């Protein structure tokens, strides 16, 4: 008996998320079908024009908007930016550099520093525990 490898497929929403694009902005045939792992890999390595255009101009999903602005998704939501934005809108926000954006960037930097301190404390505790077991 030979086992036949099954083709892994995913919903269009999952594929769009992995590609970093807004599902609603993709072509209808992409939205209505399923995407295999091989098709996803092909889209990532050699993106068609519609995908290059979406990545270049948007509209972008919130995770991409947040990354481009250097803030968290929560920071966007707190300040009334729950909807997708285009590259032009993101650049306008960067140029304007409103007070809320500066504040959210600072908050994100501080949160990352705290996460790093927590990781370091955890690693230190683990190392001390390992040394304690060695000495027992």
């Amino acid at each position: 008996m030979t086992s036949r490898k099954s083709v892994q497929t995913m919903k269009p929403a999952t594929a769009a998320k992995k590609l970093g694009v807004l599902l609603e902005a993709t072509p209808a045939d992409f939205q209505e079908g399923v995407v295999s792992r091989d098709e996803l890999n092909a889209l990532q390595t050699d993106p068609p024009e519609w995908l290059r255009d979406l990545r270049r101009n948007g509209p972008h999903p919130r995770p991409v908007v947040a990354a481009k602005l250097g803030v968290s998704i929560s920071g966007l939501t707190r300040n009334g930016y729950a909807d997708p934005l285009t590259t032009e809108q993101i650049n306008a926000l960067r140029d304007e550099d409103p007070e809320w954006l500066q504040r959210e960037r600072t908050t994100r930097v501080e949160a990352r520093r705290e996460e790093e301190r927590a990781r370091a404390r955890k690693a230190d505790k683990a190392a001390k525990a390992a040394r304690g077991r060695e000495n027992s």
Side-chain angles (χ1 to χ4, degrees), residues 62-126:
R62 289 188 312 161
V64 174
V65 173
K68 286 179 179 272
L69 291 173
V71 300
S72 67
I73 295 171
S74 301
L76 286 175
T77 305
R78 273 192 296 274
N79 292 283
Y81 289 91
D83 294 330
L85 297 177
T86 64
T87 300
E88 185 177 322
Q89 292 168 314
I90 293 168
N91 290 339
L93 270 173
R94 278 188 194 148
D95 292 344
E96 184 183 323
D97 199 24
E99 187 269 328
W100 72 264
L101 184 55
Q102 295 172 31
R103 184 179 63 246
E104 291 296 341
R105 284 180 178 151
T106 302
T107 300
R108 184 174 185 205
V109 167
E110 290 170 358
R112 287 198 171 176
R113 284 185 187 142
E114 183 54 38
E115 288 170 4
E116 186 56 38
R117 281 192 292 269
R119 270 191 231 106
R121 282 192 303 267
K122 185 176 180 180
D124 188 44
K125 284 182 182 181

Side-chain angles (χ1 to χ4, degrees), residues 10-26 30-31 35 40 43-44 50-51 54-55 61 64:
M10 62 192 82
K11 295 177 182 177
T14 303
K17 186 175 182 179
K18 289 180 181 287
L19 292 169
V21 296
L22 192 65
L23 176 63
E24 295 79 15
T26 61
F30 181 87
Q31 292 180 37
V35 180
L40 178 68
L43 287 170
Q44 289 173 324
W50 65 264
L51 182 53
L54 274 178
R55 287 178 168 168
V64 174

